[in-house]
């Protein structure tokens, strides 16, 4: 029953993601291994949006490792378990809780033993900064732990880069790139070699802007119309100032119209927005508002369209809401 609901939930989430984003481009799907234990290691820039994209744009049906603090509420913990999320405890959660990680790793071994997939965001935290941060050792511990417990298994590490034209805005673009799988064919004593291999692979998949003068360079890239989802274009501009195939500027009028015809949902966002301390969650909250309340809003407009006197207005708003949602577009950020 859980698998059946999870399957349909992923289909609905995928459809809504394609309405939330203007374009989702996926490269390297041919690199996804078949009938192998897969530890998928990705960069982490956009809170819950990152795992949702990975879950809905592969056929791997993965499990996720996420920080344990979001499992505090029993109801939330049940929901997260339903969508295949597993808690990982960190030092900040208390030393006594870290011991529970072994139970989680044991669970991942059973998943991987059956040629399943586990996703881990190895940077350990999320950030809107377009850079790859140092990787934690969780994925190497998982890979070597699996081989130690089940020597017959042949796990691979699959690096994935996720890039956004604007992390916090709807109507923006996403570019996901699946890299070449990396074999876990060295002894445990060489785990550092595996970490460096994965880190090198991710550097080739993630758009990066140097930390020095980051904000200045980001603004220069945006003003020049450089595609922030294109690693080569960003690198070339920063080195030579040359822009190939610039992203054409636009006013954002389509986004404003979308907000007008979705004002009840936009109003919820305006009410909720000031309470969000970590702005990395902006897109997550916007998406969840649309995913949970959007269907109710459209259904209400549809039912009102049959009412005398207001029916034509309700139908007009419904049609315009659908059109502006489909046309929604936001500039790079």
């Amino acid at each position: 029953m859980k698998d059946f609901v999870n399957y349909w939930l992923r289909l609905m989430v995928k459809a809504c993601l394609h309405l939330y984003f203007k374009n989702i481009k996926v490269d390297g799907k041919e690199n996804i291994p078949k009938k192998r234990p897969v530890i998928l290691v990705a960069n982490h820039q956009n809170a819950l949006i990152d795992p949702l994209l990975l879950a809905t744009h592969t056929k791997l049906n993965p499990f996720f490792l996420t920080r344990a603090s979001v499992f505090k509420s029993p109801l939330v913990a049940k929901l997260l378990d339903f969508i295949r999320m597993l808690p990982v405890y960190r030092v900040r959660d208390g030393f006594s809780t870290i011991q529970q990680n072994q139970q989680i790793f044991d669970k991942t071994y059973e998943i991987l033993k059956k040629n399943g997939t586990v996703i881990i965001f190895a940077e350990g935290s999320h950030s809107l900064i377009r850079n790859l941060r140092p990787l934690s050792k969780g994925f190497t511990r998982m890979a070597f732990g699996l081989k130690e417990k089940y020597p017959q298994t042949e796990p691979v590490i699959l690096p994935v880069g996720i890039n956004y034209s604007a992390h916090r805005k709807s109507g923006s673009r996403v570019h996901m790139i699946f890299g070449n799988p990396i074999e876990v064919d060295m002894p445990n004593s060489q785990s550092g070699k595996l970490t460096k291999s994965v880190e090198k692979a991710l550097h080739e998949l993630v758009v990066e802007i140097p930390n020095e003068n980051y904000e200045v360079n980001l603004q220069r890239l945006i003003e020049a119309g450089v595609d922030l989802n294109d690693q080569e274009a960003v690198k070339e501009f920063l080195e030579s100032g040359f822009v190939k195939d610039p992203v054409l500027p636009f006013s954002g009028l389509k986004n404003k119209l979308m907000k007008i015809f979705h004002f009840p949902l936009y109003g919820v966002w305006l009410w909720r927005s000031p309470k969000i301390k970590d702005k990395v969650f902006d897109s997550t909250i916007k998406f969840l508002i649309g995913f949970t309340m959007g269907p109710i809003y459209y259904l209400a407009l549809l039912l009102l369209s049959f009412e005398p006197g207001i029916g034509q207005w309700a139908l007009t708003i419904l049609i315009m809401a659908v059109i502006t949602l489909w046309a929604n577009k936001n500039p790079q950020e």
Side-chain angles (χ1 to χ4, degrees):
M1 179 62 179
K2 183 187 287 189
D3 289 343
F4 176 77
V5 174
N6 185 273
Y7 171 78
W8 284 105
L9 185 61
R10 282 190 293 119
L11 282 182
M12 289 188 291
V13 169
K14 184 175 183 178
C16 289
L17 284 170
H18 279 272
L19 290 172
Y20 183 81
F21 291 105
K22 184 64 179 176
N23 178 260
I24 300 174
K25 182 182 179 183
V26 183
D27 287 328
K29 272 193 172 185
E30 67 277 5
N31 294 327
I32 299 175
K34 296 178 180 178
K35 298 181 179 179
R36 295 282 297 272
V38 177
I39 301 172
L40 195 155
V41 180
N43 64 313
H44 197 19
Q45 295 182 2
N46 210 350
L48 186 61
I49 299 295
D50 290 339
L52 291 179
L53 284 166
L54 290 170
T56 55
H57 287 78
T58 72
K59 295 182 180 179
L60 293 172
N61 201 13
F63 286 78
F64 305 88
L65 293 181
T66 190
R67 68 179 194 274
S69 58
V70 299
F71 287 78
K72 288 181 179 179
S73 163
L75 181 61
V76 172
K78 221 170 232 187
L79 176 63
L80 293 177
D81 177 67
F82 210 78
I83 59 176
R84 298 172 177 257
M85 288 195 172
L86 306 171
V88 174
Y89 298 89
R90 300 171 294 181
V91 175
R92 70 185 70 174
D93 299 316
F95 285 102
S96 60
T97 61
I98 295 178
Q99 299 175 356
Q100 299 179 50
N101 277 344
Q102 188 55 51
Q103 299 174 12
I104 300 301
F105 274 92
D106 287 341
K107 189 169 183 177
T108 65
Y109 300 152
E110 298 307 313
I111 294 166
L112 293 167
K113 176 191 174 186
K114 300 172 184 175
N115 292 332
T117 300
V118 176
I119 293 177
I120 182 167
F121 296 102
E123 292 169 300
S125 61
H126 53 222
S127 171
L128 295 173
I129 302 298
R130 290 177 171 88
N131 271 321
L132 183 70
R133 286 160 284 132
L135 305 185
S136 64
K137 299 177 181 178
F139 69 93
T140 59
R141 175 185 170 186
M142 191 185 301
F144 290 117
L146 174 68
K147 291 189 70 175
E148 182 180 350
K149 188 170 184 179
Y150 299 111
Q152 76 280 9
T153 58
E154 297 180 337
V156 295
I157 310 295
L158 182 64
V160 184
I162 313 175
N163 303 294
Y164 298 88
S165 66
H167 297 91
R168 299 166 55 200
K169 295 178 178 178
S170 63
S172 57
R173 295 174 292 109
V174 183
H175 187 195
M176 288 194 297
I177 313 170
F178 291 84
N180 293 313
I182 299 170
E183 297 286 344
V184 185
D185 54 4
M186 67 283 289
N188 196 346
S189 58
Q190 296 183 21
S191 62
K193 180 181 176 182
L194 179 60
T195 302
K196 288 179 180 178
S197 296
V198 175
E199 202 164 50
K200 181 182 177 183
L202 282 172
H203 276 299
E204 295 172 356
L205 304 173
V206 177
V207 172
E208 296 189 282
I209 301 173
N211 283 319
E212 187 177 357
N213 298 321
Y214 178 89
E215 293 297 338
V216 172
N217 283 325
L218 175 59
Q219 194 57 39
R220 284 178 58 220
L221 288 159
I222 293 172
E223 290 175 356
V226 180
D227 185 353
L228 295 178
N229 281 348
D230 187 330
Q231 187 186 56
E232 290 303 315
V234 169
K235 186 177 179 181
E236 186 172 16
F237 177 81
L238 292 175
E239 291 177 354
S240 66
F242 178 74
V243 185
K244 181 182 179 182
D245 300 324
V247 176
L248 298 176
F250 56 93
S251 65
L253 176 62
K254 293 178 180 178
N255 180 258
K256 291 180 175 64
L257 289 172
M258 187 273 293
K259 290 175 180 176
I260 291 171
F261 288 102
H262 289 82
F263 188 76
L265 306 187
Y266 183 52
V268 174
W269 163 249
L270 291 176
W271 166 75
R272 189 69 183 84
S273 177
K275 301 177 183 179
I276 303 173
K277 295 179 181 179
D278 187 349
K279 293 303 177 183
V280 181
F281 281 98
D282 279 5
S283 259
T284 297
I285 302 301
K286 288 178 182 178
F287 177 79
L288 291 177
I289 289 171
F291 182 73
T292 57
M293 300 180 65
I296 298 171
Y297 176 58
Y298 294 141
L299 180 60
L301 287 174
L302 181 62
L303 294 175
L304 287 172
S305 68
F306 294 101
E307 291 294 321
I310 62 170
Q312 289 183 335
W313 288 101
L315 184 59
T316 300
I317 293 172
L318 176 59
I319 292 171
M320 291 303 298
V322 172
I323 291 173
T324 55
L325 179 63
W326 185 260
N328 181 32
K329 192 176 183 181
N330 247 319
Q332 298 191 117
E333 182 183 67

